[in-house]
Amino acid sequence: MKERLKIVLFSPGNLSNQDSEGGRGVVYSPNMGLAYLTKYVEKLFGDRVEVTVMETVPQRLFDDDVRQRLSEIGPDLVGISAKTFNILSAYRLAGLAKEVDRGALVVLGGAHGTALPEFTLKECPAIDVIVRGEGELPFAGIVETLLRGGHEFGHIAGLTWRGTDGGFHSTGAGKLLQAIDDAPFPTYERYNLDDYGGEVNPITGRAERYFSIFGSRGCPFLCTFCMPLLTRKVRKRRPDKIVEEIKYLIEEMNAAFIYFEDSCMTTDLKWFEAVCGEMIRSGVNSRIRWGFETRVDVVDKAAFDCAVRA
């Protein structure tokens, strides 16, 4: 039994292999996925976990900085979120974590590992476990296992890992959060928001505070170019809960622009119009600029007009 688990969560930036020599790029807002994961494990495990988030580009962390921070923290668990375009940077971070402490468990999440779990483990021997798909429940299962002193993961759905026999092992598809309103939305009090580039207002030309949020998770469509990380099952938040998060971002974080990271926000037009209506009713529509993604075949004039009003 472990009294407290030290966790480091990494976002490796927006380009592959960029962190050691320069070419830093710009990160416009905090990594929403890691912020969700942080709040979720803190809600579940309280003071039994100590979570540190490192975003290497906005925090200007080069390899020596990462080594030093990891040495100071001494994490039991290192989580890295990556897509294909930054997977080489994720591999390097995994290697740095093992260089500092061979005993730290290194976990990779995100679209690349989900699409190619065994290939990813073969390419990067420093990665121990891959979380496939939505991260909260599988990652929480890993945390709970480590807190109990265990190192076997066969009871946790949604994982692929490197076994002591050298082979690769997988469990079935991961479980999804069904009532996504029950998951705490991210808060950013511990972030230095001046590290992020912001969103340029096309009218004023100034960079403004920019945050991503989820209104829904999942997408039912079969676009050939898309990786359905959050599955084909659509789960929607209540409009009032979405507006509650937007209000927090405006009032506490000085947000000026909100971007909905929903894969397709108008799969349910009645729900979309209800979200717009709640934004109008609450008055947040006059306090924020916002954007979203959709498909042209799931938008009608009523939804368009509602979005314009909001």
Coordinates of all heavy atoms in Angstrom, one line a residue, residues 218-287:
G218 N -17.4 12.4 -28.4 CA -17.7 11.3 -29.3 C -18.3 11.9 -30.6 O -18.8 13.0 -30.7
C219 N -18.3 11.0 -31.7 CA -18.8 11.5 -33.0 C -19.3 10.2 -33.7 O -18.6 9.2 -33.8 CB -17.8 12.2 -33.8 SG -18.3 12.7 -35.4
P220 N -20.5 10.3 -34.3 CA -21.1 9.1 -34.9 C -20.6 8.8 -36.3 O -20.9 7.8 -36.9 CB -22.6 9.3 -34.9 CG -22.7 10.8 -35.0 CD -21.5 11.4 -34.3
F221 N -19.9 9.8 -36.9 CA -19.6 9.7 -38.3 C -18.3 8.9 -38.6 O -17.5 8.6 -37.7 CB -19.5 11.1 -38.9 CG -20.7 11.9 -38.8 CD1 -20.8 13.0 -38.0 CD2 -21.8 11.5 -39.6 CE1 -22.0 13.7 -37.9 CE2 -23.0 12.2 -39.5 CZ -23.1 13.3 -38.6
L222 N -18.1 8.5 -39.9 CA -17.1 7.6 -40.2 C -16.1 8.2 -41.2 O -15.6 7.6 -42.2 CB -17.6 6.3 -40.9 CG -18.6 5.5 -40.0 CD1 -19.3 4.4 -40.8 CD2 -17.9 4.9 -38.8
C223 N -15.7 9.5 -41.0 CA -14.8 10.2 -41.8 C -13.4 9.4 -41.9 O -12.9 9.0 -40.8 CB -14.5 11.6 -41.3 SG -16.0 12.6 -41.2
T224 N -12.9 9.2 -43.1 CA -11.7 8.4 -43.2 C -10.5 9.1 -42.7 O -9.5 8.4 -42.3 CB -11.5 8.1 -44.7 OG1 -11.4 9.3 -45.5 CG2 -12.6 7.2 -45.3
F225 N -10.5 10.4 -42.6 CA -9.3 11.1 -42.1 C -9.3 11.2 -40.6 O -8.3 11.8 -40.0 CB -9.3 12.5 -42.7 CG -10.5 13.4 -42.4 CD1 -10.6 14.0 -41.2 CD2 -11.5 13.5 -43.3 CE1 -11.7 14.8 -40.9 CE2 -12.6 14.2 -43.0 CZ -12.7 14.9 -41.8
C226 N -10.3 10.8 -39.9 CA -10.5 11.1 -38.4 C -10.1 9.9 -37.6 O -10.4 8.7 -37.9 CB -11.9 11.5 -38.2 SG -12.1 12.0 -36.5
M227 N -9.5 10.1 -36.4 CA -9.2 9.1 -35.4 C -10.3 9.3 -34.3 O -10.3 10.3 -33.6 CB -7.8 9.4 -34.8 CG -7.5 8.5 -33.6 SD -7.4 6.8 -33.9 CE -8.1 6.1 -32.5
P228 N -11.2 8.4 -34.2 CA -12.3 8.5 -33.2 C -11.8 8.2 -31.8 O -12.3 7.3 -31.1 CB -13.3 7.5 -33.6 CG -12.5 6.4 -34.3 CD -11.3 7.1 -34.9
L229 N -11.0 9.1 -31.2 CA -10.4 8.9 -29.9 C -11.4 8.7 -28.8 O -11.3 7.9 -27.9 CB -9.5 10.1 -29.6 CG -8.7 9.9 -28.2 CD1 -7.7 8.8 -28.3 CD2 -8.0 11.2 -27.9
L230 N -12.5 9.5 -28.9 CA -13.6 9.4 -27.9 C -14.7 8.6 -28.3 O -15.8 8.7 -27.8 CB -14.0 10.9 -27.5 CG -12.8 11.8 -27.0 CD1 -13.3 13.2 -26.7 CD2 -12.2 11.2 -25.8
T231 N -14.5 7.7 -29.3 CA -15.5 6.7 -29.8 C -16.6 7.3 -30.6 O -16.7 8.6 -30.7 CB -16.1 5.9 -28.7 OG1 -17.1 6.6 -28.0 CG2 -15.0 5.4 -27.7
R232 N -17.4 6.5 -31.2 CA -18.6 6.9 -32.0 C -19.8 7.2 -31.1 O -20.8 7.6 -31.7 CB -19.0 5.8 -33.0 CG -17.8 5.3 -33.8 CD -17.4 6.3 -34.8 NE -16.3 5.8 -35.7 CZ -15.6 6.5 -36.5 NH1 -15.7 7.9 -36.5 NH2 -14.6 6.0 -37.2
K233 N -19.7 6.9 -29.9 CA -20.9 7.2 -29.0 C -20.9 8.6 -28.5 O -19.9 9.1 -27.9 CB -20.8 6.3 -27.7 CG -22.0 6.5 -26.8 CD -21.8 5.5 -25.6 CE -22.9 5.8 -24.5 NZ -24.2 5.6 -25.0
V234 N -22.0 9.4 -28.8 CA -22.0 10.8 -28.4 C -22.6 10.9 -27.0 O -23.7 10.4 -26.8 CB -22.9 11.6 -29.5 CG1 -22.9 13.1 -29.1 CG2 -22.3 11.5 -30.9
R235 N -21.9 11.7 -26.2 CA -22.4 12.0 -24.8 C -22.4 13.5 -24.7 O -21.3 14.1 -24.9 CB -21.5 11.3 -23.8 CG -21.6 9.8 -23.8 CD -20.3 9.1 -23.3 NE -19.2 9.3 -24.2 CZ -17.9 9.4 -23.9 NH1 -17.6 9.4 -22.6 NH2 -17.0 9.6 -24.8
K236 N -23.5 14.0 -24.3 CA -23.6 15.5 -24.2 C -23.7 16.0 -22.8 O -24.3 15.3 -21.9 CB -24.8 15.9 -25.0 CG -24.8 15.5 -26.5 CD -26.1 15.9 -27.2 CE -27.3 15.2 -26.8 NZ -27.3 13.8 -27.3
R237 N -23.1 17.2 -22.6 CA -23.3 17.8 -21.3 C -24.5 18.7 -21.3 O -25.0 19.1 -22.3 CB -22.1 18.7 -21.0 CG -20.8 18.0 -20.8 CD -19.6 19.0 -20.8 NE -19.6 19.8 -19.6 CZ -18.8 20.8 -19.3 NH1 -18.0 21.2 -20.3 NH2 -18.9 21.5 -18.2
R238 N -25.0 19.0 -20.1 CA -26.2 19.8 -19.9 C -25.8 21.3 -20.3 O -24.7 21.7 -19.9 CB -26.7 19.8 -18.5 CG -27.5 18.6 -18.2 CD -27.8 18.4 -16.7 NE -27.9 19.7 -16.0 CZ -27.8 19.8 -14.7 NH1 -27.5 18.8 -13.9 NH2 -27.9 21.0 -14.1
P239 N -26.6 22.0 -21.0 CA -26.3 23.4 -21.4 C -25.9 24.3 -20.2 O -25.0 25.1 -20.3 CB -27.5 23.8 -22.1 CG -28.1 22.6 -22.7 CD -27.9 21.5 -21.7
D240 N -26.6 24.1 -19.1 CA -26.3 25.0 -17.9 C -24.9 24.7 -17.4 O -24.3 25.6 -16.8 CB -27.4 24.9 -16.9 CG -27.5 23.5 -16.3 OD1 -27.7 22.5 -17.1 OD2 -27.5 23.3 -15.1
K241 N -24.5 23.4 -17.4 CA -23.2 23.0 -17.0 C -22.1 23.6 -17.9 O -21.0 24.0 -17.4 CB -23.0 21.5 -16.9 CG -23.8 20.9 -15.8 CD -23.1 21.2 -14.4 CE -23.7 20.4 -13.3 NZ -23.0 20.7 -12.0
I242 N -22.4 23.6 -19.2 CA -21.4 24.2 -20.1 C -21.3 25.7 -19.8 O -20.1 26.3 -19.8 CB -21.9 24.0 -21.6 CG1 -21.9 22.5 -21.9 CG2 -21.0 24.8 -22.6 CD1 -22.6 22.2 -23.2
V243 N -22.4 26.4 -19.6 CA -22.3 27.8 -19.3 C -21.7 28.1 -18.0 O -20.9 29.1 -17.8 CB -23.8 28.4 -19.4 CG1 -23.8 29.8 -18.8 CG2 -24.2 28.4 -20.9
E244 N -21.9 27.2 -17.0 CA -21.2 27.4 -15.7 C -19.7 27.4 -15.9 O -18.9 28.2 -15.3 CB -21.6 26.2 -14.8 CG -20.9 26.3 -13.4 CD -21.2 25.0 -12.6 OE1 -22.2 24.3 -12.9 OE2 -20.5 24.8 -11.6
E245 N -19.2 26.5 -16.8 CA -17.7 26.4 -17.1 C -17.3 27.7 -17.8 O -16.2 28.3 -17.5 CB -17.4 25.2 -17.9 CG -15.9 25.1 -18.1 CD -15.5 23.8 -18.8 OE1 -16.3 22.9 -19.0 OE2 -14.3 23.7 -19.1
I246 N -18.1 28.1 -18.8 CA -17.7 29.4 -19.5 C -17.6 30.6 -18.6 O -16.7 31.4 -18.6 CB -18.7 29.6 -20.6 CG1 -18.6 28.5 -21.7 CG2 -18.5 31.0 -21.3 CD1 -19.7 28.6 -22.8
K247 N -18.6 30.6 -17.6 CA -18.6 31.7 -16.7 C -17.3 31.7 -15.8 O -16.7 32.7 -15.5 CB -19.8 31.7 -15.8 CG -21.1 32.2 -16.4 CD -22.2 32.1 -15.4 CE -23.5 32.6 -15.9 NZ -24.6 32.5 -15.0
Y248 N -16.9 30.5 -15.4 CA -15.7 30.4 -14.6 C -14.5 30.9 -15.4 O -13.7 31.7 -14.9 CB -15.5 28.9 -14.2 CG -14.0 28.6 -13.9 CD1 -13.4 29.0 -12.7 CD2 -13.3 27.9 -14.9 CE1 -12.1 28.8 -12.5 CE2 -11.9 27.6 -14.6 CZ -11.3 28.1 -13.4 OH -10.0 27.8 -13.2
L249 N -14.4 30.5 -16.7 CA -13.3 30.9 -17.5 C -13.3 32.4 -17.7 O -12.2 33.0 -17.8 CB -13.3 30.2 -18.9 CG -13.1 28.6 -18.8 CD1 -13.4 28.0 -20.1 CD2 -11.7 28.4 -18.3
I250 N -14.4 33.0 -17.9 CA -14.5 34.5 -18.1 C -14.1 35.2 -16.8 O -13.3 36.1 -16.8 CB -15.9 34.9 -18.5 CG1 -16.2 34.4 -19.9 CG2 -16.0 36.4 -18.5 CD1 -17.7 34.6 -20.3
E251 N -14.8 34.8 -15.7 CA -14.7 35.6 -14.4 C -13.4 35.3 -13.7 O -12.9 36.2 -13.0 CB -15.9 35.3 -13.6 CG -17.2 35.8 -14.2 CD -18.5 35.2 -13.6 OE1 -18.3 34.5 -12.6 OE2 -19.6 35.5 -14.1
E252 N -12.9 34.1 -13.7 CA -11.7 33.7 -12.9 C -10.4 33.7 -13.7 O -9.4 34.0 -13.2 CB -11.9 32.3 -12.2 CG -13.1 32.3 -11.3 CD -13.1 33.2 -10.2 OE1 -11.9 33.5 -9.7 OE2 -14.1 33.7 -9.7
M253 N -10.6 33.4 -15.0 CA -9.4 33.2 -15.9 C -9.2 34.3 -16.9 O -8.4 34.3 -17.8 CB -9.4 31.8 -16.6 CG -9.3 30.7 -15.6 SD -7.7 30.6 -14.7 CE -8.2 31.1 -13.1
N254 N -10.2 35.3 -16.9 CA -10.1 36.4 -17.9 C -10.2 35.9 -19.3 O -9.5 36.5 -20.2 CB -8.9 37.2 -17.6 CG -9.0 38.6 -18.3 OD1 -10.1 39.1 -18.4 ND2 -7.9 39.2 -18.7
A255 N -10.9 34.8 -19.6 CA -11.0 34.3 -21.0 C -11.7 35.3 -21.9 O -12.7 35.9 -21.5 CB -11.8 33.0 -21.0
A256 N -11.3 35.4 -23.1 CA -11.9 36.2 -24.1 C -12.4 35.4 -25.3 O -13.2 35.8 -26.1 CB -10.9 37.3 -24.6
F257 N -11.8 34.1 -25.4 CA -12.2 33.3 -26.6 C -12.3 31.8 -26.0 O -11.5 31.4 -25.3 CB -11.2 33.4 -27.7 CG -11.5 32.5 -28.9 CD1 -12.4 33.0 -29.8 CD2 -10.9 31.3 -29.1 CE1 -12.7 32.3 -30.9 CE2 -11.3 30.5 -30.2 CZ -12.2 31.0 -31.1
I258 N -13.4 31.2 -26.4 CA -13.7 29.8 -26.0 C -13.8 29.0 -27.3 O -14.5 29.3 -28.2 CB -15.0 29.7 -25.2 CG1 -14.9 30.4 -23.9 CG2 -15.3 28.2 -25.0 CD1 -14.0 29.9 -22.9
Y259 N -13.1 27.8 -27.4 CA -13.2 26.9 -28.5 C -13.7 25.6 -28.0 O -13.1 25.0 -27.2 CB -11.9 26.8 -29.2 CG -12.1 26.1 -30.6 CD1 -12.6 26.8 -31.7 CD2 -11.8 24.7 -30.7 CE1 -12.8 26.1 -32.9 CE2 -12.1 24.1 -31.9 CZ -12.5 24.8 -33.0 OH -12.8 24.1 -34.1
F260 N -14.9 25.2 -28.6 CA -15.4 23.9 -28.3 C -14.7 22.8 -29.1 O -14.6 22.8 -30.3 CB -16.9 23.8 -28.7 CG -17.8 24.6 -27.7 CD1 -18.1 25.9 -27.9 CD2 -18.4 23.9 -26.7 CE1 -18.9 26.6 -27.0 CE2 -19.2 24.6 -25.8 CZ -19.5 25.9 -26.0
E261 N -14.1 21.8 -28.4 CA -13.3 20.8 -29.0 C -14.1 19.6 -29.4 O -13.6 18.5 -29.7 CB -12.2 20.3 -28.0 CG -11.1 21.4 -27.7 CD -10.1 21.6 -28.9 OE1 -10.2 20.8 -29.9 OE2 -9.3 22.5 -28.8
D262 N -15.4 19.7 -29.4 CA -16.3 18.6 -29.8 C -16.0 18.2 -31.2 O -15.7 19.1 -32.1 CB -17.8 19.1 -29.8 CG -18.2 19.7 -28.4 OD1 -17.4 20.4 -27.8 OD2 -19.3 19.4 -28.0
S263 N -16.0 16.9 -31.5 CA -15.7 16.4 -32.8 C -16.7 17.0 -33.8 O -16.3 17.3 -35.0 CB -15.7 14.9 -32.8 OG -14.7 14.4 -32.0
C264 N -17.9 17.1 -33.5 CA -18.9 17.6 -34.3 C -20.1 18.1 -33.4 O -20.8 17.3 -32.9 CB -19.5 16.6 -35.3 SG -20.7 17.2 -36.5
M265 N -20.2 19.4 -33.3 CA -21.0 20.0 -32.3 C -22.5 20.0 -32.6 O -23.4 20.3 -31.8 CB -20.6 21.4 -31.9 CG -21.1 21.9 -30.6 SD -20.4 23.4 -30.0 CE -21.3 23.7 -28.6
T266 N -22.9 19.8 -33.9 CA -24.3 19.9 -34.3 C -24.9 18.5 -34.7 O -25.8 18.5 -35.5 CB -24.5 20.9 -35.4 OG1 -23.7 20.5 -36.5 CG2 -24.0 22.3 -35.0
T267 N -24.4 17.4 -34.1 CA -25.1 16.1 -34.3 C -26.5 16.1 -33.8 O -27.3 15.4 -34.3 CB -24.2 15.0 -33.7 OG1 -24.0 15.2 -32.4 CG2 -22.9 14.9 -34.4
D268 N -26.7 16.8 -32.7 CA -28.1 17.0 -32.1 C -28.4 18.5 -32.2 O -28.0 19.2 -31.3 CB -28.0 16.4 -30.7 CG -29.4 16.5 -30.0 OD1 -30.3 17.3 -30.5 OD2 -29.6 15.8 -29.0
L269 N -29.2 18.9 -33.1 CA -29.5 20.3 -33.3 C -30.3 20.9 -32.2 O -30.1 22.0 -31.8 CB -30.2 20.5 -34.7 CG -29.3 20.3 -35.9 CD1 -30.1 20.4 -37.2 CD2 -28.2 21.3 -35.9
K270 N -31.2 20.1 -31.6 CA -32.0 20.6 -30.5 C -31.1 20.9 -29.3 O -31.2 21.9 -28.6 CB -33.1 19.6 -30.1 CG -34.2 19.5 -31.1 CD -35.3 18.6 -30.6 CE -36.5 18.6 -31.5 NZ -37.6 17.6 -31.1
W271 N -30.1 20.0 -29.0 CA -29.2 20.3 -27.9 C -28.3 21.5 -28.3 O -28.1 22.3 -27.4 CB -28.3 19.0 -27.7 CG -27.2 19.2 -26.8 CD1 -27.2 19.2 -25.4 CD2 -25.8 19.5 -27.1 NE1 -26.0 19.4 -24.9 CE2 -25.1 19.6 -25.9 CE3 -25.2 19.7 -28.3 CZ2 -23.7 19.9 -25.9 CZ3 -23.8 20.0 -28.3 CH2 -23.1 20.1 -27.1
F272 N -27.8 21.6 -29.5 CA -27.0 22.7 -29.9 C -27.7 24.0 -29.7 O -27.2 25.0 -29.2 CB -26.5 22.5 -31.3 CG -25.8 23.7 -31.9 CD1 -24.5 23.9 -31.5 CD2 -26.4 24.6 -32.7 CE1 -23.7 25.0 -32.0 CE2 -25.7 25.7 -33.2 CZ -24.3 25.9 -32.8
E273 N -29.0 24.1 -30.1 CA -29.8 25.3 -30.0 C -30.0 25.6 -28.5 O -30.1 26.7 -28.1 CB -31.1 25.1 -30.7 CG -30.9 25.1 -32.2 CD -32.2 24.9 -33.0 OE1 -33.3 25.0 -32.4 OE2 -32.1 24.6 -34.2
A274 N -30.2 24.5 -27.7 CA -30.3 24.7 -26.2 C -29.1 25.3 -25.6 O -29.1 26.2 -24.7 CB -30.7 23.4 -25.5
V275 N -27.9 24.9 -26.1 CA -26.6 25.5 -25.6 C -26.6 26.9 -26.0 O -26.3 27.8 -25.2 CB -25.4 24.7 -26.2 CG1 -24.1 25.4 -25.8 CG2 -25.4 23.3 -25.7
C276 N -26.9 27.3 -27.2 CA -26.9 28.7 -27.7 C -27.9 29.5 -26.9 O -27.6 30.6 -26.4 CB -27.2 28.7 -29.2 SG -26.0 28.1 -30.3
G277 N -29.1 28.9 -26.6 CA -30.1 29.6 -25.9 C -29.7 29.9 -24.5 O -29.9 31.0 -23.9
E278 N -29.0 28.9 -23.8 CA -28.5 29.1 -22.5 C -27.4 30.2 -22.4 O -27.3 31.0 -21.5 CB -28.0 27.8 -21.9 CG -27.5 27.9 -20.4 CD -28.7 28.1 -19.5 OE1 -29.9 28.0 -19.9 OE2 -28.4 28.5 -18.3
M279 N -26.6 30.2 -23.5 CA -25.5 31.3 -23.5 C -26.2 32.7 -23.6 O -25.8 33.6 -23.0 CB -24.6 31.0 -24.7 CG -23.7 29.8 -24.5 SD -22.7 29.4 -26.0 CE -21.6 30.8 -26.1
I280 N -27.2 32.7 -24.4 CA -28.0 34.0 -24.6 C -28.7 34.4 -23.3 O -28.6 35.5 -22.8 CB -29.0 33.9 -25.8 CG1 -28.2 33.8 -27.1 CG2 -29.8 35.2 -25.8 CD1 -29.1 33.4 -28.3
R281 N -29.4 33.4 -22.7 CA -30.2 33.7 -21.5 C -29.2 34.2 -20.4 O -29.6 35.1 -19.6 CB -30.9 32.4 -21.1 CG -31.8 32.6 -19.9 CD -32.2 31.3 -19.2 NE -31.0 30.7 -18.6 CZ -30.5 31.1 -17.4 NH1 -31.0 32.2 -16.8 NH2 -29.4 30.5 -17.0
S282 N -28.1 33.6 -20.2 CA -27.1 33.9 -19.1 C -26.3 35.2 -19.4 O -25.7 35.7 -18.5 CB -26.2 32.7 -18.9 OG -25.3 32.6 -20.0
G283 N -26.3 35.6 -20.7 CA -25.6 36.8 -21.0 C -24.1 36.6 -21.3 O -23.4 37.5 -21.7
V284 N -23.6 35.3 -21.3 CA -22.2 35.1 -21.6 C -21.9 35.3 -23.1 O -20.7 35.6 -23.4 CB -21.7 33.7 -21.2 CG1 -21.9 33.4 -19.7 CG2 -22.4 32.6 -22.0
N285 N -22.9 35.2 -23.9 CA -22.7 35.5 -25.3 C -22.1 36.9 -25.6 O -21.4 37.1 -26.6 CB -23.9 35.2 -26.1 CG -25.0 36.2 -25.8 OD1 -25.4 36.4 -24.7 ND2 -25.6 36.8 -26.8
S286 N -22.5 37.8 -24.8 CA -22.0 39.2 -25.0 C -20.6 39.4 -24.4 O -20.0 40.5 -24.5 CB -23.0 40.2 -24.4 OG -23.1 40.0 -23.0
R287 N -20.1 38.4 -23.7 CA -18.8 38.5 -23.0 C -17.7 37.7 -23.6 O -16.6 37.8 -23.1 CB -19.0 38.1 -21.5 CG -20.1 38.9 -20.8 CD -20.5 38.3 -19.5 NE -19.4 38.4 -18.5 CZ -19.5 37.7 -17.3 NH1 -20.5 36.9 -17.0 NH2 -18.5 37.9 -16.5

